[in-house]
């Protein structure tokens, strides 16, 4: 019954599982969001990270159904759009980084309609759109930063089983900048989109705090504090 971890696994179960907590992100919390969207075979994921304490919680992960039902299945874009908009209305979203691939028109709409709510932009071109096909150095560096945070217990998560599976599916993929991540093989059924969305949300939080533009109000004392 021993847990077997692939040699090239990015994160091991014994690193991820102890970080699960009972606490949850609640309406009104200040968060950053990450989004990685697919069409049919790839999963689609929307993940939040609470700014004040780095609590990770998936808000929705959509996956292709197994069996005959999944053969002609495609993601319900209207449902995804509704979930994103509900998150933007439910939480105090300080930054939102979304991979643009396959979702350009929706991301343009989210950016145009909600840009004034965000403290920082996802890229020079968009308040929300962050093309993961570009900016390899920054993404690689933050992947290493996130992996180190998990290893050192510097974040917590809600214990979601689907996100856990995606996190543990991620494999080490070295490049000229360091250690990135990917699937075990290109067309693998072992999805990592939840991990990608989590990394984007955590990158958004990192960039938010790094910008010096974010101030968090201490509700009990009525003070404003700067998170670093």
């Amino acid at each position: 019954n021993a847990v077997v971890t692939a040699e090239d696994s990015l994160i091991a179960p014994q690193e991820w599982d102890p970080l699960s907590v009972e606490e949850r992100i609640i309406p009104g919390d200040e968060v950053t969001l990450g989004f990685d969207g697919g069409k049919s075979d790839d999963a689609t994921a929307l993940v939040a990270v609470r700014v004040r304490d780095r609590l990770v919680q998936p808000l929705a992960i959509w996956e292709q159904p197994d069996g005959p039902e999944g053969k002609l299945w495609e993601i319900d874009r209207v449902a995804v759009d509704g979930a994103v908009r509900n998150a933007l209305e439910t939480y105090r979203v300080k930054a939102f980084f979304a991979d643009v691939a396959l979702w350009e028109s929706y991301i343009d709409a989210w950016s145009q309609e909600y840009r004034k709510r965000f403290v920082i932009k996802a890229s020079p071109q968009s308040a929300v759109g962050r093309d993961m096909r570009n900016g390899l150095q920054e993404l690689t560096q933050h992947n290493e930063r996130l992996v180190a945070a998990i290893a050192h217990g510097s974040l917590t998560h809600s214990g979601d089983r689907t996100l856990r599976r995606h996190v543990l599916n991620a494999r080490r993929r070295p490049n000229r900048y360091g250690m990135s991540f990917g699937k075990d093989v290109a067309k693998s059924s072992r999805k990592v989109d939840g991990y990608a969305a989590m990394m984007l949300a955590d990158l958004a939080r990192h960039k938010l705090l790094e910008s010096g533009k974010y101030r968090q109000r201490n509700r009990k004392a009525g003070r404003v504090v700067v998170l670093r």
Side-chain angles (χ1 to χ4, degrees):
N1 294 326
V3 176
V4 179
T5 303
E7 290 184 2
D8 63 344
S9 289
L10 188 69
I11 296 165
Q14 57 267 31
E15 295 174 312
W16 180 255
D17 292 342
L19 304 181
S20 176
V21 295
E22 294 295 328
E23 192 172 358
R24 296 293 181 266
I25 295 172
I26 62 173
D29 276 349
E30 293 184 331
V31 303
T32 55
L33 299 180
F35 175 83
D36 186 51
K39 180 181 179 183
S40 53
D41 181 52
D42 280 339
T44 294
L46 177 66
V47 175
V49 176
R50 191 158 62 190
V51 176
R52 65 177 170 85
D53 59 1
R54 214 175 184 181
L55 170 62
V56 174
Q57 181 175 314
L59 303 182
I61 301 178
W62 298 263
E63 295 181 309
Q64 182 182 36
D66 294 328
E69 184 184 353
K71 288 184 177 180
L72 299 177
W73 181 86
E74 286 193 4
I75 186 69
D76 184 343
R77 291 175 178 261
V78 173
V80 174
D81 182 53
V84 169
R85 291 174 181 275
N86 181 64
L88 290 166
E89 297 296 339
T90 301
Y91 308 103
R92 295 159 65 192
V93 181
K94 298 302 177 181
F96 181 13
F97 288 12
D99 186 20
V100 300
L102 303 176
W103 287 82
E104 290 87 349
S105 62
Y106 285 90
I107 289 170
D108 285 347
W110 301 334
S111 181
Q112 291 169 12
E113 294 178 39
Y114 293 95
R115 65 173 59 247
K116 293 182 179 179
R117 301 189 183 191
F118 308 135
V119 177
I120 60 168
K121 296 172 64 176
S123 68
Q125 297 78 30
S126 173
V128 173
R130 174 65 171 82
D131 194 340
M132 293 186 73
R133 295 166 294 191
N134 300 321
L136 180 62
Q137 182 174 4
E138 180 181 58
L139 292 172
T140 301
Q141 289 173 345
H142 193 72
N143 181 68
E144 293 182 341
R145 191 179 293 117
L146 178 57
V147 170
I150 292 169
H152 297 150
S154 301
L155 60 76
T156 58
H157 61 79
S158 62
D160 182 84
R161 292 183 179 182
T162 304
L163 179 61
R164 178 185 188 271
R165 175 160 44 82
H166 286 218
V167 168
L168 300 186
N169 283 342
R171 297 291 181 261
R172 296 176 179 270
R173 293 294 177 259
N175 60 46
R176 65 184 184 273
Y177 299 116
M179 188 62 64
S180 187
F181 75 96
K183 298 178 182 179
D184 53 352
V185 293
K187 297 294 184 180
S188 177
S189 62
R190 297 179 177 179
K191 305 307 177 187
V192 300
D193 308 273
Y195 179 81
M198 177 179 70
M199 190 186 75
L200 285 172
D202 196 64
L203 175 60
R205 178 183 180 273
H206 173 74
K207 299 289 284 185
L208 172 68
L209 301 185
E210 190 180 57
S211 72
K213 298 178 181 179
Y214 173 72
R215 299 291 185 273
Q216 181 189 43
R217 182 167 296 279
N218 185 318
R219 294 181 180 178
K220 292 183 179 180
R223 298 192 301 268
V224 173
V225 296
V226 181
L227 296 184
R228 297 294 185 189

